């Protein structure tokens, strides 16, 4: 495994980071606790020391399972990344910014973006309890909250760092404009954003900004929620409550299928899967600090960890870029 320094901190994160959204179950058609915990153990055993989660993932379940999985292990050897700012239990008492309705127990549950100072502190305390720890390595705002001044949110993060409950502060899904405003109060360590072979918009603005300011970029959805594994085109039936039924509709699926068929021989020649090829390509892109990879069982976790064993020649990378051009996805110069 390769370890990378995150932004302006001393945090060393594993280049492949365990993404814990799917094991939460909500929006993913449920979860299986034993398999989820086994996947965390398998990741740690193979050098994936960084775990990224959030209270919203399973409405606390993801954090609880992580806490159970790491109990008794050397906490200093594990980097826990979590988030705040999505509220679902009504504790905001009507405050915040309505986001969407999530499904919970067959019912619709309103989700609000809420990042007031008091809520940041409250959510962290709840996360610490679920994770079974007294600090997190990186605390991130999950989504921008337009109802709360950015400076107020940043002041809360600064306080938590001073108290030793948070080692570093970051955001997720922030624009460069929002990052600049936040930096007036607190220099952000990182921005966690969506990035993949099919979605490279951050190369236009966030990547140059991160270079100038020594800010880390944490990537989520590098596999476009499983689409780039190629499995969807062979096993296309998803559960009715799987959010990907709608999510995949934004892509030209015939072009994506042709792209995957074109690059699959590269993976086959390396005795690797398409998933591993795509993940490894993502880790090699400029200014990308670490890449989140979800796993719902031990075998998937083992495969994700082995991604970093892959290497590409210049001809192979050039061929991949040529195929990406056919998808009308801009290529970094």
């Amino acid at each position: 495994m390769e370890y990378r320094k995150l932004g302006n901190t001393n945090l060393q994160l594993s280049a492949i980071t365990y993404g814990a959204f799917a094991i939460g179950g909500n929006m993913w058609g449920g979860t299986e606790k034993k398999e989820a915990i086994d996947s965390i153990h398998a990741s740690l055993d193979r050098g994936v020391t960084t775990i990224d989660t959030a209270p919203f993932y399973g409405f606390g379940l993801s954090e609880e399972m992580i806490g159970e999985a790491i109990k008794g292990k050397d906490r200093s050897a594990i980097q826990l990344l979590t988030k705040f700012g999505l509220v679902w239990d009504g504790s905001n008492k009507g405050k915040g910014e309505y986001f969407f309705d999530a499904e919970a127990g067959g019912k619709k549950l309103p989700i609000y973006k809420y990042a007031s100072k008091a809520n940041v502190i409250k959510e962290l305390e709840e996360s610490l309890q679920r994770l079974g720890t007294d600090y997190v390595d990186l605390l991130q705002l999950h989504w921008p909250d337009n109802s709360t001044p950015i400076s107020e949110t940043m002041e809360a993060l600064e306080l938590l760092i001073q108290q030793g409950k948070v080692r570093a502060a970051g955001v997720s899904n922030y624009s460069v404009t929002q990052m600049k405003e936040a930096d007036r109060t607190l220099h952000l360590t990182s921005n966690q954003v969506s990035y993949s072979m099919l979605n490279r918009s951050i190369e236009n603005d966030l990547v140059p900004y991160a270079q100038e300011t020594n800010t880390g970029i944490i990537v989520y959805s590098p596999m476009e929620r499983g689409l780039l594994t190629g499995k969807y085109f062979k096993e296309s039936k998803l559960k009715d409550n799987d959010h990907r039924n709608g999510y995949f509709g934004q892509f030209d699926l015939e072009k994506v299928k042709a792209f995957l068929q074109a690059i699959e021989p590269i993976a086959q020649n390396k005795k690797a899967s398409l998933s591993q090829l795509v993940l490894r390509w993502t880790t090699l892109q400029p200014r990308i600090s670490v890449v989140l990879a979800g796993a719902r069982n031990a075998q998937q976790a083992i495969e994700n960890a082995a991604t970093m064993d892959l290497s590409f020649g210049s001809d192979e990378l050039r061929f991949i870029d040529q195929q990406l051009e056919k998808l009308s996805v801009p290529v970094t110069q």
Side-chain angles (χ1 to χ4, degrees):
M1 181 54 60
E2 179 182 326
Y3 301 91
R4 299 177 176 179
K5 184 174 178 289
L6 184 65
N8 61 334
T9 71
N10 293 321
L11 289 175
Q12 294 286 337
L13 309 187
S14 51
I16 297 296
T17 288
Y18 183 97
F21 185 8
I23 65 168
N26 59 318
M27 299 176 67
W28 291 87
T31 192
E32 211 297 311
K33 181 179 178 180
K34 183 182 183 304
E35 288 191 350
I37 290 177
D38 285 348
S39 73
I40 297 170
H41 288 160
S43 297
L44 293 172
D45 290 345
R46 286 158 181 80
V48 176
T49 59
T50 310
I51 303 173
D52 178 89
T53 185
F56 173 69
Y57 301 162
F59 306 111
L61 180 60
S62 176
E63 289 185 325
E64 288 174 0
M65 288 193 292
I66 291 166
E68 184 173 338
I70 68 171
K71 188 175 182 179
K73 296 186 180 295
D74 181 1
R75 174 67 180 84
S76 66
I78 301 170
Q79 303 82 49
L80 293 180
L81 285 48
T82 194
K83 307 179 187 74
F84 67 89
L86 291 188
V87 178
W88 64 86
D89 59 5
S91 61
N92 59 329
K93 297 180 180 178
K95 298 178 182 177
E97 180 184 3
Y98 173 75
F99 195 11
F100 67 101
D101 284 339
E103 182 182 328
K107 299 180 180 179
K108 288 185 177 180
L109 189 62
I111 307 298
Y112 287 83
K113 294 184 282 189
Y114 188 48
S116 71
K117 184 175 181 177
N119 189 63
V120 177
I121 295 169
K122 172 183 178 293
E123 283 202 60
L124 175 65
E125 293 299 333
E126 293 170 345
S127 290
L128 292 176
Q129 184 173 4
R130 287 189 289 258
L131 291 165
T133 186
D134 58 1
Y135 74 96
V136 295
D137 296 275
L138 180 70
L139 184 61
Q140 307 156 96
L141 171 62
H142 206 151
W143 282 90
D145 167 25
N146 294 317
S147 71
T148 303
I150 288 177
S151 59
E152 179 180 339
T153 304
M154 295 303 116
E155 286 169 5
L157 289 169
E158 188 172 37
L159 174 63
L160 292 170
I161 291 173
Q162 291 170 353
Q163 292 176 343
K165 295 179 179 179
V166 173
R167 292 185 65 190
V171 290
S172 186
N173 303 300
Y174 252 31
S175 68
V176 169
T177 299
Q178 289 167 325
M179 293 191 72
K180 288 179 178 179
E181 182 174 345
D183 275 358
R184 297 192 188 110
T185 305
L186 175 69
H187 180 62
L188 294 168
T189 291
S190 59
N191 190 359
Q192 183 176 142
V193 290
S194 176
Y195 177 74
S196 74
M197 287 176 159
L198 306 180
N199 172 20
R200 301 174 66 181
S201 61
I202 67 167
E203 294 176 7
N204 297 322
D205 52 4
L206 180 57
V207 169
Y209 178 78
Q211 178 68 44
E212 293 170 7
T213 59
N214 192 20
T215 302
I217 297 177
I218 299 174
V219 168
Y220 72 83
S221 290
M223 305 304 303
E224 287 299 350
R225 310 191 190 188
L227 183 61
L228 290 174
T229 66
K231 294 177 182 177
Y232 175 78
F233 299 104
K234 301 170 185 176
E235 309 164 8
S236 59
K237 180 63 177 175
L238 298 172
K239 292 183 179 179
D240 291 342
N241 62 342
D242 195 312
H243 74 288
R244 291 173 292 181
N245 286 302
Y247 183 82
F248 289 165
Q250 67 183 292
F251 302 108
D252 185 327
L253 295 179
E254 285 304 311
K255 282 189 175 182
V256 174
K257 182 179 181 180
F259 167 71
L260 294 176
Q261 290 174 336
I263 66 171
E264 189 166 22
I266 297 177
Q268 292 173 340
N269 288 339
K270 298 177 185 296
K271 294 182 171 54
S273 66
L274 263 174
S275 301
Q276 290 174 312
L277 182 154
V278 172
L279 281 176
R280 186 65 175 122
W281 177 91
T282 309
T283 68
L284 293 171
Q285 301 314 297
R287 285 303 304 178
I288 301 304
S289 302
V290 300
V291 178
L292 304 189
R296 293 168 70 94
N297 56 55
Q299 186 54 46
Q300 291 174 352
I302 292 168
E303 181 176 313
N304 289 344
T307 291
M308 295 305 292
D309 296 334
L310 293 181
S311 60
F312 297 108
S314 57
D315 288 346
E316 291 171 323
L317 290 172
R318 190 177 304 112
F319 178 80
I320 292 172
D321 281 348
Q322 289 170 349
Q323 299 307 308
L324 282 172
E325 287 179 331
K326 296 178 182 179
L327 283 171
S328 301
V329 177
V331 177
T332 303
Q333 301 297 322

